[in-house]
Every structure is written in structure tokens, then in C-alpha cells.
Amino acid sequence: MAFLASVNVMLKEGIADPQGQTIERALPALGFSGVEEVRVGKRIRLLVDASDEHDARRQVEDMCERLLANPVIESYEVIVES
Amino acid sequence: MAFLASVNVMLKEGIADPQGQTIERALPALGFSGVEEVRVGKRIRLLVDASDEHDARRQVEDMCERLLANPVIESYEVIVES
Amino acid sequence: MTTATSLHRDLGLTDDEFQQICDHLGREPSYTELAMFSVMWSEHCSYKSSRGHLKTLPTEGPHILVGPGEGAGIIEVAPGVAVAWKAESHNHPSFVEPFNGAATGVGGIVRDILSMGARPIALMDPLRFGTLDDARTRYLVDGVVHGISSYGNSIGVPTVGGEAIFEECYAENPLVNVACLGVIEDRLMHGRAEGPGNVAILIGSSTGRDGIGGASVLASAEFDETSAEKRPSVQVGDPFAEKLLIEACLELIARGVFVALQDLGAGGISCPTSEMTSKANTGMRVDIDRVHRREPGMEPFEVMISESQERMLAVVEPARVDEVLDVCRKWEIEANVVGEVTPSDRVEVVSDGEVVADVPADALAEEGPVYERHLERPGWIDRLQMEDPGDAAPDRLEDAFFAVLSSPNIASKRWIWEQYDHMIFLGTLQGPGGDAAVIRLPNSDVRVAITTDGPGRYCYLDPYEGARLAVAESARNVACVGARPLAVTNCLNFGNPEKPDVMWQFAEVIRGMGDACRSLVTPVTGGNVSFYNETKGRAIYPTPVIGMLGSIPEGVPARGLAFVSDNEPIVLLGRTDDNDLGGSEFAKTVHGVVAGRPPRLDIEAEARLIDLLVELRDLASSAHDPSAGGLAVALAEAAVVGGRGFKLGPRNGELHRWLFSESPSRALVTCRPDDVEEVLERADRNGVPAEVIGTTGGDVLGFAGCDIPLTSVTEVYEGALVETLSSSID
Amino acid sequence: MSGRVGIVVFPGSNCERDCEKAFRDLGAEPVMVWHGDRVLPDVDIVVLPGGFAHGDYLRTGALARFSPIMSAVRSHSGSGGLTIGICNGFQILCEAGMLPGALRKNTGLKFMCRTTRLRVANAETAFTSRADEGQVLRIPINHFEGNWYCSEDTLVSLQAKGQIVLTYLENPNGSFADVAGIVNEDGTVFGLMPHPERACEELLGSEDGAVILGSMLDHVTKRVAV
Ligand SMILES: Nc1ncnc2c1ncn2[C@@H]1O[C@H](COP(=O)(O)OP(=O)(O)O)[C@@H](O)[C@H]1O
Ligand SMILES: [Mg+2]
């Protein structure tokens, strides 16, 4: 049975995020004031074949650990829809 | 008042996604069979100062239209938490 | 001041060093002071194990304007034209996080060059990894190359060459060295905080908790399982910020605003504040509340040793502060006055009006501990040198040839260097793929040649000979492209210096490097020492990477390694010793052996060959030195790159010895048929043995008695590395 | 031959000096223009050079299109002046909507610096007049995001109107229909991934880039002469 999973991969707290900082610096010039703490990460969507939702989550978390995220600098969260 | 907003930017359906394909090709070697339609996009999180949730969403959608996404190849969704 | 005892051990300081600190201060250090000492007295910053040995290196010469001790060596390559040349290592950070480790390594060496007032114009990346059958290694290779590519390309500095060598011993200690060439555009800068009353301005990225104890601690403590805990201190590079920093600083240097300039690297802001004042016999009062921060709630000690990237500290006369701030504003880069030069000889750190550190600058920068580490020639090396070097004849010569050619150490590194912008500045007259890169300096016709070489295997078999061979090969490589070798920078990668055999290897390498540099008159203008490249007690091969710089007179035609036209005589210069197979690529790939003695070097013969190669600028249509893989590989490279084969005359004796021997002091040159007599005559005049061994042309590699089609050779040479890496994962 | 060339410098541009040298060697008069300025000096040609305008974070060229100078560049091309966007400049022109399509990551997911062979698909433009239709040019590429994309319909109309100017002989990056360079409908704005300024000197391996830069100079000097 196929489950649709989404993974959000973001840089860990405290790790510098030049992308976010650059966007943040640019926004006021575009007329957006009052925007803070911009962080840029990755969003990954995939279809995973699993016996049940729990199994799907387990598989995707495993993928994150081994491939999708870089545990040294990134943290991730997994969302599974059925 | 500050709202925490998340933006998911993905390549439009039908536009080839080499990053997704690379991951899809790599997964079997790591023992993950039955994974399909992997798509890789961006996730942007930010704090926006707004009068209310509606206003926050409006601002962030505006940012997407003008900067965060490229309408030619990308679609986006905005999530606002309070 | 809150003081701190016993904590010093966690910070990597010995009890004895802690006592010395107390003696310097006449009291126990505060927490902030202890942190400052811990980074400044780390092996990485203080060279406490190596200083004594480094002193023996030749550092002076007519072309050397600035030797070791500053951000980079400065060499006069033509009348009134000066370049900066320096190498650095970023080994441990790159093992922990390959992409960012390598990227910030590039950023660091570029700021070293910038601190001299030079515009960085070329990079080289000598790399060492484990073997590619290991997935983790493939991941490291991919990440490191991507990191260098992404950082170097976006700051707009071409990466024009390097090395990529794969050996088991580097599996858990990859070496990521980077060398950078810069050109002085307006004026040479010095890191001397002259003039009490002048102010210190911190320019660049905001300060976060990046690499608290990062490089210093990481680079000064042996790796083990616990290193995982150090991981959060990974630093992320911001090439865009670096680009702005470069442009802003160069504009300010051109305006003559800076009294002094220094980069912030290992040791954070503790480093320039103490080093610049120590050099000038001044002091500095630092108000760290004015350091722009990325994170709230940082402790004073964190600000003082944070290794946040892309920052420089400038000393400026008060009257010109606004000018500095304006230029930085234009370049959209932050800058703040954070301190003042004082007549005292102390670095005072103030936070919330409270003095949190008050230390003699010399104590931090100059008077760190120096160790005469115990060294001892290990018994194993005698046994190793006695062993069979693996020089037995192969079953089939052709198989051996392809085995060697397809070794990742030999095969084309195109997969790597095509990921690097190696063309920007329109100065890369010869890029990656040759013996040395040839760079035409911006807005001039002055040309310099640069290369890096570090035969770890030879140094493992005999560190003294290996180091001499490294210097000889690098000099030969620049001579091959027609340049006169001028000066050396280096990156010395070793295991744990607290072990007598590692320290012996280090001492021997220094001795060999010094002797060779003296003989070839190529002084050492600076470099970098990286110890503790050791995991679970297993050390890397002693790996001195020599960065050689040479100059080419204006108007000399660029000369590559490729056979450029058919029917040209191929002349082999120098003597081939059939027994120089110890530590060779043949022995390793065909017999799986690394033993015996490395090739024998006659440095005088090397010097004569170099003179000849330089003299042959006008006659030789190509030149290439047989190094790893010997004549067989050198001939194959010249054929593949030139797109034409060759035919050798018959030979007697064991062909595999002649073809794969790695005897130094040799080069292959080609020339027009009418010129061959002249070439041989000049060789004779220079006392260099010379022999016509064949002619160019055709579509086969005609090794005496064994013809191999050029197409299949090209396929293997160009494809081998890509194939082994293709299973690599982004 | 003369011709005034304004080279726009964004904070992260890094090919501006190379463009300056190439145009000067061809006899033109290049001047640098800061991206923060609102007016262009009196120039016949505007160059958006290669580099990483604002670090190319988020998307290449995404921020550059908001630079104050860009409206001046628009009116320059609106009034018939020539504009060339090289590499990052091409990306900026697409982001700014001055050229159709968008540039994605190379299919190989690797940065590529190599000399490519290009076919001149339209030699009638102000940017290719020195070339013959079908002529093959050797010019280096140097990018991570050169994989050009547009919709099928857009492509059809571009082809119909001869707006596809350069195509790759060996497609290096997955670009749609092998496209390497395109012009706008008026033929005044040209965007291409390859770097002609890197191929204007025999010492550097090719002089084919001068075909493109020289064509532009021919065009503007003719116009000036008239
Ligand atoms: N990591 C790298 N980055 C860039 N260029 C490289 C790299 N590794 C090897 N090269 C290039 O490949 C060519 C062959 O390298 P090498 O075999 O070390 O040359 P040599 O034997 O003459 O010292 C050189 O031009 C070198 O610059
Ligand atoms: Mg060589």
C-alpha cells in the first residue's frame, strides 16, 4: 500500500544559514518589513510502499538518517499521509 | 504580532526533477524498494509581523509571488501558525 | 573576574601549560582568558611541536619579499610585480562535514592571501582520500569537491589544479589542502597594529557560536568516537559574504585606508587582536559588546574564540573610520569599530564595562609553549625497506599497463576539475590536466606557474628521501611548462606528534625539504602544519604537500604535455634506473605492494634537468615528466591529450622496469625533426643524458613490441575515475 | 571601431572584468555600472555579466531583478538598445521576465566548466551577424543552473520567430531543445549560458566568442553611423 510522505529538512538551530540571512536582508527593499529569522531548508515528497502508516514513517525516517538529511548539520521532520 | 510561517516551494507537476530522480535511483542500493515519485523542493520558515493570521498569510503569499517562488517552474503553499 | 581551574584540561591545555598561563598573568586566568589561551596555544595556532624544526628551513632569497610568519609569502615574480602564495589544510573539518569543511577551507586560505593586500587569483586543491570501494569515501570525495566548487566558483577565483590521491591510510583521515595565489594590486599589507589611538574595525559576517573551539580543538585532538559531539561546531561557509569582503577590503586597501589588516581564522578574534599587537609592541582594548552577533546570549569567551567565517580585522586611523564604514555599506557588508590600539602591551577585553580579560599580547601570540618532542627512528622502517618492492614482471604487459592507467591515482581527474571554474580572469593559459598551471596575471603579460606535489608513499618508505622527491617533482613540474622554480609553500600532514616515530618522520621530512629547497634555490615562504591526522591509533602516511611557484618570462609560448603534431621525435631526458619501482604505482596496483626504497634522487641532476627544460622553451613543442606510473603513463597522457599516438624504438632488458620505473629527474620532450640535434646538443651541454626513444603520430601507442589502440587508452584514461565514482551519491 | 558598453556590476558579479577586457580588446569603450544606480550612463550596449549576483541563494538571479538599475536596463532595451545577459546575466533576464523561460539545475547535478560546441541557429540577429547560419562556435560554459526550460507552446513560438539563436551540439545540462541562447521578440535582448568573453583570444583556446561580441559592436556602430 502506497503512502504519501513529506520530509522537511532544516539546518539545526545555531548553524549559520547564509541563504536565510541573505533573503532576510533583501526583503525590506521589496517592501516587506518586520520579517525575521528566515531559514531555508529542503522539502522532499515521495510515495513509499508500506504495510501501514507506522511502517511508512519508520522507512522514511530511516531514509532521512541515511540519505535525505545530513545529520551533522540538519534536523528533519516526517509527515505521513495515507 | 509575530506569526510563524512556512512556505513549501516545489517544481510544478510535469517538470523533470533531477534531484528527485537521483534520490530515487540511490534508494534501492540502500535497501529501500518501492519508493516512487520523489520530488525535492525548498522549505522556507520565517517570522512575519502582522495584524492577524489572515494578514500574515497575505504578506507571505505576496513574498512568494514576487520572490520566493518562480511561477514559470515552481508552485508554492503557505502555512501560517500563530 | 570568574576564574576557572581544572577546566583547562577540557580545553586541551596541560597542567603544565596552565601553570605557565598563571605565571604570565601572576594569577589564575579568567574563564575568557583561559579560552583565549586554549585556542592560541593549540597546536594549530602555536605550532608548539613543529616550530623548532621549521626554523631550519631556508626562507630567504633575492625574490622573497616576505617569508614565513605573515598571512602568506610574498614573491617578486617580475620587476615590481609581487604575488602571494600560501597553502592551508582543512582536514578534520572536511572529514566531519565534507561540503562545508572544504568550502570553509577555501574561504580561509583566500582570506590569508587577502590579509597581505593581494587579490586572490588562483586556487589549487591537493586532496587525499581512502580507496573508492568504500561508500563513505565516495561520499567524502563528492562532498569535498562540491564544497570547493561551490565556494571557489562563487567568489570568482579559478581552481586551476590540484591533486587527488587515493590510499587506504587516508580512509578516516582525508586530507583537504588548499593553496592560493594572489597578486598585489596596490600595496602590500602587514598585520601590525601600529599607532596607539588607532581603532580596530571588525568587517564581515556576524559572529555566532560557530566552531567554538572548532578548528583549534578539532585540529589538535586525535579523532575518536567522541568526535561526534564536536559536530555541532561545524562552520557553514558563505561565499557571497566572502566575495563582498574581498571587494570591500581591496577597495579600501587601494584607498590606503588600512594601517593593518588580518583575517580571522582558527582562534577567532583572539588571534588578530593578539598577533597584530604583539608584532607592533602595542596593545588593544576590545569592546566585545560591539561585535555584531548572529545569536543572542553569547558569553564573552564565545565571542572571543568563535570561528564564524568571512571576517577580517582592520586597524584604521580614527579620521578614516567613516570612509571604511561607507565602503562597507556600499558592498552591503557589516563593519563595526570594536577596539582601540593602546600603548600598553596587553589585550584587554571589555564586556558590559567589565574587564573580562587582560592578557599580555606576547603571551598569547609569541610566548606559547614550544615542545622538543621525543623522536626516534622506528624499527619497522628498516624491515619495510628490506621487503620485496614488488618489481616482478607482470604476466601480461598490456594488462599491467591498463591496471596502472585505470588507477584513480593516475586516470584523468577531469570529473573533479570540470566542477571548478578554472577559466575566470582570462588568465588560465594552462589549466588542470598539465604538469603545472600557467597563470597570466591580470592586466599584464607576466606569467607564473604553480603546482602541488606530495608523494605520501615515498615519504612512508623514507621520509627524508620522500620529501626531497616531493620538492624535486614540484620544481620539475613547473620547469616542464617553461617556468623557473622560485619559491615553495607547503602543507605538512602528519599523525600524532606525541609519538616518537611520527615526530621522527616529521623531522626527516623537514630535513629533506630543507636540503632540496637549498639545492634548487627555492626558499620556503610559508606553509601549514597539520598534526593528529590519526584515527584509532592509525596514522596517515607522512604527507608533505609542496606548492611550487615559478615564473615565465613574457612572450614565451605556452608549452603543454600533449603531443602537438605527427612525426616529431620524442626525446627522453635524464637517466632511468630500472630499480626505481619501490613505492611505485606499478608495485601498488599490479602487485599490491608498498615496500622497499623510494626512487633515488640526485638533486644536482635534477637541477641540471630543470635548467635544460627552461632553456628549451624555444625548441620543445611539448614537455612532460614521468612521475607516478612512469614513462608508460607519461607517454599515454601526452598521446591521449594530444589525440595522436606514437611509436617507440626496440628495447632490450625487462620492458616493464623501463616503462614503470619512477626515476626522478626525467622529462619527455618533443620538437620539430630539424631541431632534434640542437635539443640533444643542449642536453649534452647541460650534462643531461638524452635519447630519442620514438616518434609521434598514428593511432596506436606503440610500446616496443606491444601496440595498444589510442581509442581504448583514451576511453580508460578519461573514464576510469568517473566509473568508480558514478556510484557516488549526492 | 567603437561602441559604448555598460557592464552592470552586482555585488556578487565576478565576470565583469573579463567582459571589460574582451570588449576593450575588440575596440569598444566599456564602463562599469553599479547595480544600485538608477540611471545608465550613455551606452549602446548593456552587459549583465556572469557571477553570483546576490550569492544566487534561493534562485539564481532571483534578487538581482529587483536592483534599481534594472528598470533603466528595461527602458534601454525598450528603446532599441542592445542588452546581453551572460550566464548569471541570462538567469537574471529570465527572472526579470525580459526573456522567456527559466533556468534549472543541470541534470547531472554538477557544476560544469568546459568548452562546448554551439550551433548558430539564427545568424540574422544583432548578436550573430558575424556568423553564418549553422556555423559551429567553440565557447566555454561555466554554470550549475544552465538547464533552460519553457513550455511547449512557448518553444514553438520561439522557434517560429527565430528567437532561438544558439543550441548545443552536445547538450551538457539537459536544456530544453538543446537551447543555449535566445533573444526576445524585438531582437534587442540576448541571453546565453556560454561565456563569449572567455573565447576572444587564441591564447585561451578559441576566438569564437568575438563573433558574438563583435556582431553587437558592428550593429551599434552601424546604428551610430546612420
Ligand atoms: N583535485 C584536483 N583539482 C584540480 N585539478 C586536479 C586535481 N587532481 C588532479 N588535478 C590535475 O590533474 C593533473 C594530473 O595531476 P598529477 O598526476 O598530480 O600531475 P603530476 O603527476 O604532473 O604532478 C594535474 O594537472 C592536476 O592539476
Ligand atoms: Mg608531472
Side-chain angles (χ1 to χ4, degrees):
Chain A
M1 175 174 175
F3 292 82
L4 175 62
S6 308
V7 181
N8 300 328
V9 182
M10 305 297 288
L11 284 168
K12 285 178 180 166
E13 293 304 320
I15 299 248
D17 179 0
Q19 283 210 69
Q21 286 161 6
T22 308
I23 295 170
E24 194 169 320
R25 275 198 304 275
L27 283 170
L30 311 188
F32 299 102
S33 52
V35 178
E36 283 179 342
E37 294 178 32
V38 180
R39 308 276 291 175
V40 181
K42 264 184 299 178
R43 166 112 173 154
I44 301 157
R45 311 188 80 241
L46 49 81
L47 281 180
V48 56
D49 180 46
S51 53
D52 57 28
E53 195 170 324
H54 176 78
D55 172 40
R57 168 176 304 281
R58 222 204 62 266
Q59 285 193 49
V60 177
E61 281 172 355
D62 200 12
M63 292 176 210
C64 291
E65 287 295 334
R66 300 185 45 201
L67 177 65
L68 303 183
N70 175 356
V72 177
I73 52 173
E74 294 171 331
S75 61
Y76 61 86
E77 70 184 323
V78 173
I79 304 101
V80 177
E81 303 152 33
S82 43
Chain B
M1 177 176 175
F3 291 84
L4 175 61
S6 306
V7 180
N8 299 328
V9 181
M10 306 296 289
L11 281 171
K12 284 180 175 164
E13 294 304 322
I15 294 191
D17 174 7
Q19 267 173 300
Q21 287 158 359
T22 306
I23 291 174
E24 203 164 312
R25 276 196 307 273
L27 284 169
L30 300 177
F32 300 101
S33 51
V35 178
E36 286 178 338
E37 295 179 30
V38 181
R39 309 279 292 174
V40 179
K42 295 193 203 74
R43 178 162 177 96
I44 302 155
R45 311 188 80 237
L46 48 82
L47 280 181
V48 56
D49 180 47
S51 52
D52 57 30
E53 195 171 323
H54 177 78
D55 172 38
R57 169 176 303 280
R58 221 202 65 266
Q59 285 192 50
V60 177
E61 279 173 353
D62 197 14
M63 289 177 213
C64 291
E65 286 296 333
R66 295 189 55 202
L67 175 65
L68 301 183
N70 177 345
V72 179
I73 48 173
E74 294 170 328
S75 60
Y76 64 87
E77 71 185 319
V78 174
I79 305 100
V80 178
E81 302 153 32
S82 44
Chain C
M1 301 188 196
T2 47
T3 65
T5 358
S6 83
L7 227 173
H8 62 270
R9 294 202 197 93
D10 316 346
L11 288 168
L13 291 163
T14 67
D15 294 359
D16 183 53
E17 288 168 345
F18 181 73
Q19 192 48 52
Q20 291 181 45
I21 293 170
C22 298
D23 298 345
H24 276 295
L25 298 175
R27 57 174 165 78
E28 285 205 348
S30 71
Y31 206 72
T32 308
E33 290 167 338
L34 191 62
M36 292 163 73
F37 274 104
S38 74
V39 291
M40 291 304 293
W41 283 16
S42 68
E43 186 66 62
H44 189 78
C45 291
S46 72
Y47 290 79
K48 52 190 169 191
S49 304
S50 55
R51 239 196 270 174
H53 297 272
L54 293 172
K55 279 212 221 72
T56 67
L57 292 170
T59 59
E60 284 164 6
H63 306 287
I64 311 305
L65 304 183
V66 177
E70 299 263 356
I74 302 291
I75 303 104
E76 186 173 38
V77 290
V81 182
V83 298
W85 178 229
K86 175 80 157 42
E88 256 282 359
S89 68
H90 226 221
N91 304 342
H92 291 303
S94 303
F95 179 66
V96 171
E97 213 298 287
F99 178 90
N100 286 293
T104 51
V106 172
I109 189 67
V110 162
R111 287 190 298 280
D112 273 329
I113 297 300
L114 184 60
S115 74
M116 301 306 292
R119 173 180 286 280
I121 58 167
L123 289 159
M124 288 200 144
D125 65 335
L127 307 176
R128 305 287 185 278
F129 298 100
T131 52
L132 290 168
D133 46 18
D134 171 28
R136 165 75 181 171
T137 293
R138 292 197 301 269
Y139 165 79
L140 288 175
V141 174
D142 202 71
V144 164
V145 170
H146 189 193
I148 292 166
S149 146
S150 107
Y151 203 99
N153 297 351
S154 50
I155 61 174
V157 180
T159 302
V160 297
E163 294 167 85
I165 291 172
F166 307 86
E167 301 269 3
E168 291 79 357
C169 67
Y170 301 111
E172 289 183 89
N173 289 92
L175 303 184
V176 175
N177 294 179
V178 267
C180 189
L181 175 75
V183 59
I184 305 287
E185 285 184 332
D186 296 281
R187 54 172 60 69
L188 182 56
M189 294 298 310
H190 289 286
R192 268 191 225 89
E194 309 282 0
N198 288 339
V199 299
I201 303 182
L202 182 62
I203 306 173
S205 298
S206 53
T207 299
R209 289 192 174 85
D210 308 83
I212 294 299
S216 316
V217 175
L218 269 175
S220 304
E222 219 176 287
F223 254 58
D224 56 34
E225 312 307 344
T226 66
S227 61
E229 295 150 26
K230 298 192 178 122
R231 286 177 170 185
S233 68
V234 166
Q235 306 147 50
V236 173
D238 181 356
F240 182 49
E242 181 97 341
K243 167 71 172 162
L244 303 180
L245 190 60
I246 294 169
E247 297 302 337
C249 286
L250 287 173
E251 180 171 339
L252 288 162
I253 290 162
R255 291 162 174 247
V257 181
F258 292 153
V259 174
L261 181 65
Q262 190 173 330
D263 56 298
L264 278 70
I269 197 170
S270 299
C271 193
T273 48
S274 55
E275 287 185 355
M276 287 204 287
T277 50
S278 169
K279 285 201 186 96
N281 299 315
T282 54
M284 189 175 287
R285 191 176 169 86
V286 185
D287 179 354
I288 56 175
D289 301 336
R290 298 165 76 170
V291 170
H292 44 288
R293 322 252 178 112
R294 199 180 71 240
E295 296 175 70
M298 286 179 71
E299 299 283 329
F301 89 89
E302 291 179 308
V303 178
M304 285 310 292
I305 68 171
S306 159
E307 290 176 356
S308 291
Q309 300 292 300
E310 292 91 22
R311 300 179 300 165
M312 305 281 289
L313 191 71
V315 173
V316 178
E317 288 168 8
R320 306 196 72 172
V321 169
D322 293 341
E323 192 176 351
V324 174
L325 301 185
D326 288 344
V327 169
C328 291
R329 207 170 294 116
K330 168 192 160 190
W331 286 105
E332 300 172 13
I333 185 167
E334 210 164 338
N336 291 300
V337 174
V338 298
E340 182 183 327
V341 179
T342 63
S344 83
D345 57 0
R346 304 178 76 83
V347 175
E348 297 163 83
V349 181
V350 182
S351 171
D352 286 334
E354 186 201 352
V355 175
V356 293
D358 180 358
V359 189
D362 289 344
L364 283 169
E366 286 303 318
E367 292 157 7
V370 177
Y371 293 126
E372 272 295 328
R373 302 253 188 226
H374 175 55
L375 52 89
E376 193 176 325
R377 186 176 205 277
W380 56 259
I381 196 147
D382 304 305
R383 290 194 294 282
L384 185 64
Q385 292 181 345
M386 291 306 167
E387 285 173 28
D388 163 17
D391 57 0
D395 308 341
R396 283 187 74 242
L397 196 65
E398 184 171 347
D399 297 348
F401 171 75
F402 278 112
V404 169
L405 192 71
S406 58
S407 151
N409 295 335
I410 299 295
S412 168
K413 310 298 188 294
R414 181 183 300 275
W415 181 89
I416 296 173
W417 52 256
E418 277 196 343
Q419 294 185 55
Y420 302 148
D421 180 349
H422 50 273
M423 302 176 177
I424 190 167
F425 285 142
L426 308 184
T428 311
L429 302 190
Q430 246 190 80
D435 285 316
V438 178
I439 304 300
R440 175 180 57 189
L441 302 184
N443 325 314
S444 88
D445 194 36
V446 176
R447 300 158 188 202
V448 302
I450 48 178
T451 185
T452 69
D453 290 284
R457 242 184 246 159
Y458 296 164
C459 295
Y460 164 64
L461 297 178
D462 185 335
Y464 174 79
E465 287 300 326
R468 293 171 71 236
L469 285 160
V471 173
E473 180 180 355
S474 61
R476 194 184 321 131
N477 275 328
V478 300
C480 278
V481 299
R484 160 75 56 196
L486 280 187
V488 160
T489 186
N490 65 73
C491 209
L492 307 175
N493 308 275
F494 288 80
N496 180 350
E498 294 153 42
K499 298 187 175 174
D501 57 341
V502 169
M503 207 53 214
W504 172 80
Q505 291 174 323
F506 183 75
E508 285 293 282
V509 161
I510 294 287
R511 197 167 63 84
M513 185 166 79
D515 287 353
C517 287
R518 267 181 291 272
S519 305
L520 298 180
V521 200
T522 54
V524 178
T525 62
N528 164 263
V529 178
S530 171
F531 280 126
Y532 299 99
N533 292 286
E534 187 155 330
T535 303
K536 304 196 197 92
R538 188 150 171 274
I540 58 167
Y541 289 163
T543 311
V545 171
I546 305 297
M548 182 65 72
L549 175 136
S551 68
I552 308 177
E554 301 187 12
V556 170
R559 178 175 72 195
L561 57 71
F563 293 149
V564 288
S565 53
D566 292 346
N567 306 315
E568 290 198 332
I570 303 170
V571 182
L572 173 59
L573 304 172
R575 230 188 97 264
T576 304
D577 181 335
D578 283 357
N579 294 315
D580 283 339
L581 284 159
S584 67
E585 196 63 34
F586 171 87
K588 180 74 192 287
T589 49
V590 175
H591 296 299
V593 173
V594 178
R597 292 180 171 281
R600 286 150 196 73
L601 171 67
D602 172 353
I603 197 74
E604 296 312 323
E606 189 71 60
R608 290 193 294 273
L609 174 75
I610 288 167
D611 290 342
L612 175 62
L613 284 169
V614 172
E615 201 185 305
L616 286 176
R617 278 178 190 134
D618 55 337
L619 284 189
S621 56
S622 78
H624 186 24
D625 70 312
S627 55
L631 263 180
V633 166
L635 286 161
E637 287 172 336
V640 167
V641 179
R644 72 193 73 243
F646 57 82
K647 183 151 185 34
L648 300 187
R651 299 214 69 90
N652 35 35
E654 285 184 289
L655 197 53
H656 79 280
R657 291 183 174 273
W658 185 68
L659 283 177
F660 295 110
S661 157
E662 296 183 2
S663 300
S665 319
R666 296 182 301 162
L668 289 166
V669 297
T670 54
C671 62
R672 297 210 321 279
D674 330 357
D675 294 333
V676 70
E677 285 315 317
E678 170 72 12
V679 169
L680 295 173
E681 198 181 305
R682 289 194 198 176
D684 186 54
R685 231 186 294 121
N686 283 271
V688 176
E691 169 192 11
V692 178
I693 60 169
T695 48
T696 62
D699 54 9
V700 300
L701 279 66
F703 296 109
C706 160
D707 287 4
I708 304 174
L710 177 61
T711 50
S712 50
V713 173
T714 303
E715 210 169 282
V716 170
Y717 180 75
E718 290 293 350
L721 187 62
V722 189
E723 235 163 72
T724 28
L725 279 165
S726 54
S727 36
S728 161
I729 289 161
D730 290 45
Chain D
M1 176 182 57
S2 175
R4 288 148 306 173
V5 179
I7 302 169
V8 178
V9 182
F10 298 91
S13 299
N14 58 28
C15 295
E16 70 276 17
R17 283 182 213 76
D18 296 1
C19 291
E20 181 185 31
K21 180 181 192 305
F23 271 107
R24 179 172 294 122
D25 290 353
L26 286 167
E29 303 158 15
V31 292
M32 297 293 184
V33 181
W34 183 242
H35 78 112
D37 298 350
R38 300 190 170 282
V39 290
L40 281 167
D42 177 21
V43 294
D44 314 302
I45 292 171
V46 168
V47 179
L48 303 187
F52 295 71
H54 290 271
D56 283 1
Y57 296 132
L58 189 63
R59 285 189 320 281
T60 54
L63 288 168
R65 76 177 170 108
F66 296 105
S67 286
I69 197 68
M70 286 307 287
S71 47
V73 173
R74 263 205 184 71
S75 36
H76 164 82
S77 68
S79 57
L82 295 187
T83 300
I84 182 171
I86 299 167
C87 196
N88 191 226
F90 184 17
Q91 294 159 341
I92 293 168
L93 289 169
C94 289
E95 281 281 340
M98 292 175 69
L99 286 173
L103 291 136
R104 304 165 299 174
K105 283 192 163 53
N106 301 343
T107 42
L109 294 179
K110 294 264 181 284
F111 190 100
M112 293 179 135
C113 179
R114 68 163 69 145
T115 297
T116 54
R117 297 194 302 156
L118 307 165
R119 178 183 285 103
V120 178
N122 179 354
E124 306 298 294
T125 75
F127 306 89
T128 48
S129 57
R130 281 193 187 184
D132 304 322
E133 179 131 359
Q135 183 177 343
V136 172
L137 304 177
R138 291 182 64 259
I139 302 180
I141 57 168
N142 187 70
H143 61 250
F144 204 132
E145 279 99 358
N147 180 352
W148 183 78
Y149 167 88
C150 75
S151 71
E152 292 282 352
D153 316 357
T154 313
L155 182 73
V156 171
S157 94
L158 289 178
Q159 282 164 331
K161 299 184 177 125
Q163 287 176 250
I164 293 173
V165 178
L166 295 175
T167 56
Y168 298 106
L169 264 69
E170 299 87 9
N171 189 332
N173 54 25
S175 179
F176 191 29
D178 302 326
V179 167
I182 56 175
V183 285
N184 65 345
E185 204 161 342
D186 315 346
T188 56
V189 180
F190 182 37
L192 74 169
M193 287 315 297
H195 286 258
E197 81 277 13
R198 293 187 178 191
C200 292
E201 193 180 355
E202 198 266 337
L203 253 183
L204 296 175
S206 169
E207 294 178 303
D208 294 352
V211 170
I212 289 167
L213 304 188
S215 299
M216 298 171 70
L217 294 175
D218 291 349
H219 181 84
V220 298
T221 39
K222 261 195 246 89
R223 255 192 0 151
V224 173
V226 171

